[in-house]
Amino acid sequence: MCDIVPQKKAFVPAITAIALCATLLSAPAHADLRPEPVPGGVAAIIVAPAGSPRPEVSFDGRPVLVQPRADGWHALVGLPLDTPLGEHAIQVGPEGNRRALAFSVGPKTYPEQRLTIKNPKLVTPPPEELVRIAEERERQLAIRSRFRDVPVNRVDLDLPADGRLSSRFGLRRIFNGEPRAPHTGLDVAVPTGTPIRAPADGVVSMVDDLYFNGKTVFVDHGQGFVSMVCHLERAHVAEGQTVRRGERLGDSGSSGRATGPHLHWSVYLNGAAVDPALFIAPRPAR
């Protein structure tokens, strides 16, 4: 139930006449990735032929993850929840020799969720906590926007804990009758003390106890591909530690702004919070 400030949108430059139209993939870029070019989703775009050097790609001035596939280099573009509908563009190539590739963002409607929080300070924080909250938001934005330039051969993710998916990404949240920022993650209903595991290989980029998130761990998977787990009871890793897929990051809990024990899991691409469900195998209904 994390309160992570939405990423601000930058102006998308007009597409020139020489811009090439991108090929949006009709099939997933990986077996467990299901691209969806909607607000809060991922656009997968072929940007260069197979066998060529990895191209530089950016969206709204931020570098984008580029992955080699059999049919060419694929750019995986994270789209913030406030992305306007319609035509956008990525920039491909080095500075001074860039070309624009167009793609379209379609609509998606997210449902509303009403929650009751017992501690009113977690709905409307007292003035003395506002400086702390602002500082924590800036730190999280910096961590999730970091671009660690390493190869990323897999973008499928494992669910960090086995449990019922209780609150989906994108929910328009109302706490104690007051509208708040949309839900920027996926909640898993698990009891306190459940092992929380790394969804993929990476480097731990942040471990802290935050006002809204409670005990939190960020893992950097490379090229702006970042995941975060929070509301933990405790963390078992340290900043700078290399972790492997399935390695224990911590134990679930209810720290921070939480109505009870659960896992909150967020995934970021090029600084944007995107739907974690796109990166895991579809879950059967329970």
Side-chain angles (χ1 to χ4, degrees):
M1 228 173 289
C2 306
D3 184 33
I4 300 175
V5 64
Q7 182 186 13
K8 293 182 180 179
K9 286 295 294 171
F11 175 74
V12 178
I15 302 169
T16 65
I18 61 171
L20 301 176
C21 286
T23 302
L24 285 172
L25 307 181
S26 58
H30 193 278
D32 290 334
L33 171 63
R34 300 181 304 284
E36 190 177 5
V38 299
V42 178
I45 305 166
I46 297 177
V47 293
S52 61
R54 190 186 87 188
E56 295 181 22
V57 180
S58 62
F59 177 62
D60 281 358
R62 294 175 179 266
V64 168
L65 187 155
V66 181
Q67 184 190 39
R69 304 295 296 169
D71 58 347
W73 290 94
H74 292 196
L76 302 181
V77 185
L79 302 171
L81 276 166
D82 60 353
T83 302
L85 305 185
E87 193 171 74
H88 294 261
I90 57 173
Q91 301 295 319
V92 181
E95 187 173 356
N97 189 29
R98 291 175 179 163
R99 72 185 194 278
L101 293 181
F103 69 97
S104 294
V105 174
K108 182 166 185 175
T109 301
Y110 293 100
E112 181 182 283
Q113 183 183 48
R114 293 177 177 268
L115 296 168
T116 299
I117 304 296
K118 293 181 180 179
N119 185 349
K121 292 183 179 180
L122 293 176
V123 178
T124 304
E128 61 268 23
E129 296 289 355
L130 296 181
V131 171
R132 173 190 172 185
I133 291 168
E135 188 273 337
E136 289 177 352
R137 284 178 169 172
E138 289 303 312
R139 287 178 56 216
Q140 290 178 86
L141 282 171
I143 290 293
R144 79 190 214 191
S145 302
R146 187 177 296 169
F147 190 86
R148 191 168 58 94
D149 194 359
V150 295
V152 178
N153 295 319
R154 291 183 63 178
V155 293
D156 64 308
L157 298 174
D158 295 340
L159 193 65
D162 186 22
R164 177 177 59 87
L165 304 184
S166 56
S167 292
R168 295 282 185 160
F169 176 89
L171 290 171
R172 294 176 292 115
R173 296 200 130 169
I174 299 175
F175 292 123
N176 298 0
E178 300 181 24
R180 288 295 183 266
H183 190 224
T184 55
L186 181 65
D187 286 355
V188 184
V190 289
T192 298
T194 300
I196 305 303
R197 304 191 182 279
D201 297 350
V203 176
V204 176
S205 52
M206 180 177 174
V207 179
D208 207 346
D209 191 352
L210 307 175
Y211 186 86
F212 286 119
N213 294 10
K215 294 181 175 64
T216 301
V217 175
F218 278 81
V219 179
D220 184 338
H221 306 297
Q223 291 191 52
F225 186 27
V226 177
S227 60
M228 183 269 284
V229 293
C230 68
H231 302 313
L232 304 178
E233 182 181 46
R234 64 177 58 87
H236 292 288
V237 291
E239 290 183 14
Q241 180 178 336
T242 298
V243 293
R244 294 293 187 185
R245 181 184 298 260
E247 188 170 340
R248 192 169 187 168
L249 300 176
D251 301 332
S252 64
S254 55
S255 58
R257 183 165 71 182
T259 56
H262 72 286
L263 165 69
H264 173 103
W265 176 37
S266 289
V267 174
Y268 305 96
L269 274 174
N270 48 273
V274 295
D275 189 353
L278 299 176
F279 298 85
I280 61 175
R283 303 279 289 179
R286 295 194 177 190

